[in-house]
Amino acid sequence: MNTIANDLPTTQWVLTLSCIDGPGIVHAISGAIVAAGGNIAESQQFASHDTGRFFMRLQVEAVAQPDTFEGRFEQALAPVTERYHMTWRLDTVGRPVRTLILASTATHCVNDLLYRRRGGQLPIEVPLILSNHETVRDIAEFYDVPFEHRAIAGADDKAAFEARVLAAVDELDIELVVLARYMQILSPGLCEALAGKAINIHHSFLPGFKGANPYKQAHQRGVKLIGATAHFVTTDLDEGPIIEQDTIRVDHSYSVRELTQLGQDVEARVLRHAVRSFAENRVLADGDRTIIF
């Protein structure tokens, strides 16, 4: 699906694209940029031997007349994208991505995202936090972010919560949904509706340590590595395309509390990096995996 997004005045754009690999793609794209009066400031590309697809991310500066560059660039790109049957997106560099955060009782991921956003380290805009618990309300209020609590005590409550998610996505022009330790399994219908724009975070003990106390189980088994994985949400629980992962070494001397604290630090860091990659248009889908530029 082709998308044009340019909400902020700027003289730099980011173009991402994918298509069946073949000769002449880079030359054709470069020619379109020159024809539109642009200059390539950053370029990354990858050809997947597994799927036979070509991926590219470029940042482009307007050499002259930046106010009309987007239109000229789109016009110059049209014959190239048609010739190679490209899926592409043109966006402005640094534009805050409108993000809906879903939360439950854990606070570390929500706090980190909002802290980084306030400090200008994360290019997102958060018009709403939806939670099935009241725990993160104080954090939302501290960062001046609207907060809604909707308890989930049964199937009807869950359906109502998910209906509110879909309504918020539509009403608030949401581009990304972040499950910041939201401890509810999304229905297949919601997963499909949010395909490609919902990111979840979990500890990397899965599938070995499932349940509510993975760090206690890890402690009992004497793990030597703990970590976290951020991935796109799909109907296959915790098996969506991976965006970011990280681990740290531990040993037998760590208590359950220490493992939990270290694990939460990793979770917050991994989720933050995944959200930043998405917001900066650095994540491209390649089947069941992702290409990260």
Side-chain angles (χ1 to χ4, degrees):
M1 179 178 180
N2 299 339
T3 306
I4 296 292
N6 185 14
D7 294 335
L8 295 178
T10 184
T11 56
Q12 194 167 96
W13 288 259
V14 56
L15 171 67
T16 54
L17 62 90
S18 67
C19 62
I20 299 298
D21 192 21
I25 298 173
V26 175
H27 180 269
I29 290 295
S30 300
I33 293 171
V34 172
N39 177 59
I40 298 175
E42 179 183 319
S43 178
Q44 295 170 290
Q45 63 191 62
F46 175 74
S48 172
H49 296 298
D50 296 320
T51 60
R53 294 191 65 81
F54 175 82
F55 302 86
M56 195 171 194
R57 180 187 186 275
L58 304 105
Q59 288 189 194
V60 182
E61 298 173 336
V63 176
Q65 298 178 315
D67 292 342
T68 59
F69 174 77
E70 183 180 4
R72 299 196 311 271
F73 192 21
E74 182 181 0
Q75 185 176 8
L77 273 176
V80 179
T81 58
E82 292 175 6
R83 184 191 321 159
Y84 291 99
H85 304 287
M86 292 178 174
T87 299
W88 59 279
R89 175 181 173 85
L90 183 64
D91 203 348
T92 52
V93 173
R95 180 184 64 84
V97 171
R98 294 182 64 78
T99 303
L100 170 66
I101 294 178
L102 305 185
S104 289
T105 59
T107 61
H108 55 289
C109 286
V110 174
N111 184 68
D112 185 76
L113 291 173
L114 297 183
Y115 172 76
R116 304 290 174 175
R117 180 211 60 145
R118 172 174 285 186
Q121 304 170 46
L122 200 58
I124 61 172
E125 179 182 355
V126 184
L128 180 64
I129 295 174
L130 276 173
S131 179
N132 60 323
H133 291 273
E134 290 276 5
T135 312
V136 301
R137 180 184 291 276
D138 290 347
I139 295 175
E141 292 177 349
F142 177 81
Y143 288 104
D144 196 26
V145 175
F147 175 86
E148 285 187 25
H149 166 240
R150 291 172 176 260
I152 298 178
D156 290 343
D157 293 334
K158 182 174 181 177
F161 189 100
E162 294 196 348
R164 176 57 184 139
V165 171
L166 291 175
V169 168
D170 182 56
E171 295 167 4
L172 301 174
D173 296 322
I174 296 298
E175 302 167 271
L176 173 64
V177 177
V178 178
L179 280 65
R181 296 295 295 177
Y182 174 66
M183 302 304 290
Q184 292 283 325
I185 298 174
L186 303 190
S187 69
L190 186 57
C191 289
E192 293 173 3
L194 300 178
K197 63 179 183 180
I199 296 176
N200 186 34
I201 182 71
H202 67 69
H203 52 82
S204 283
F205 301 132
L206 293 173
F209 302 111
K210 295 183 179 180
N213 296 297
Y215 294 104
K216 181 178 181 180
Q217 297 175 55
H219 179 264
Q220 292 171 343
R221 293 289 297 276
V223 299
K224 303 301 183 280
L225 286 172
I226 62 173
T229 298
H231 63 91
F232 281 118
V233 174
T234 65
T235 53
D236 294 324
L237 182 62
D238 292 331
E239 294 188 15
I242 295 170
I243 304 171
E244 181 68 34
Q245 291 180 300
D246 199 4
T247 60
I248 56 175
R249 292 199 64 84
V250 295
D251 60 38
H252 60 275
S253 67
Y254 288 79
S255 66
V256 174
R257 180 180 179 183
E258 290 171 329
L259 289 179
T260 301
Q261 292 173 337
L262 288 171
Q264 289 178 345
D265 287 343
V266 179
E267 289 171 10
R269 182 169 68 251
V270 168
L271 182 59
R272 178 205 321 151
H273 288 321
V275 170
R276 179 183 292 118
S277 293
F278 183 95
E280 293 180 349
N281 294 287
R282 297 185 181 277
V283 184
L284 285 79
D286 184 27
D288 291 330
R289 66 175 186 168
T290 59
I291 306 302
I292 310 294
F293 286 128

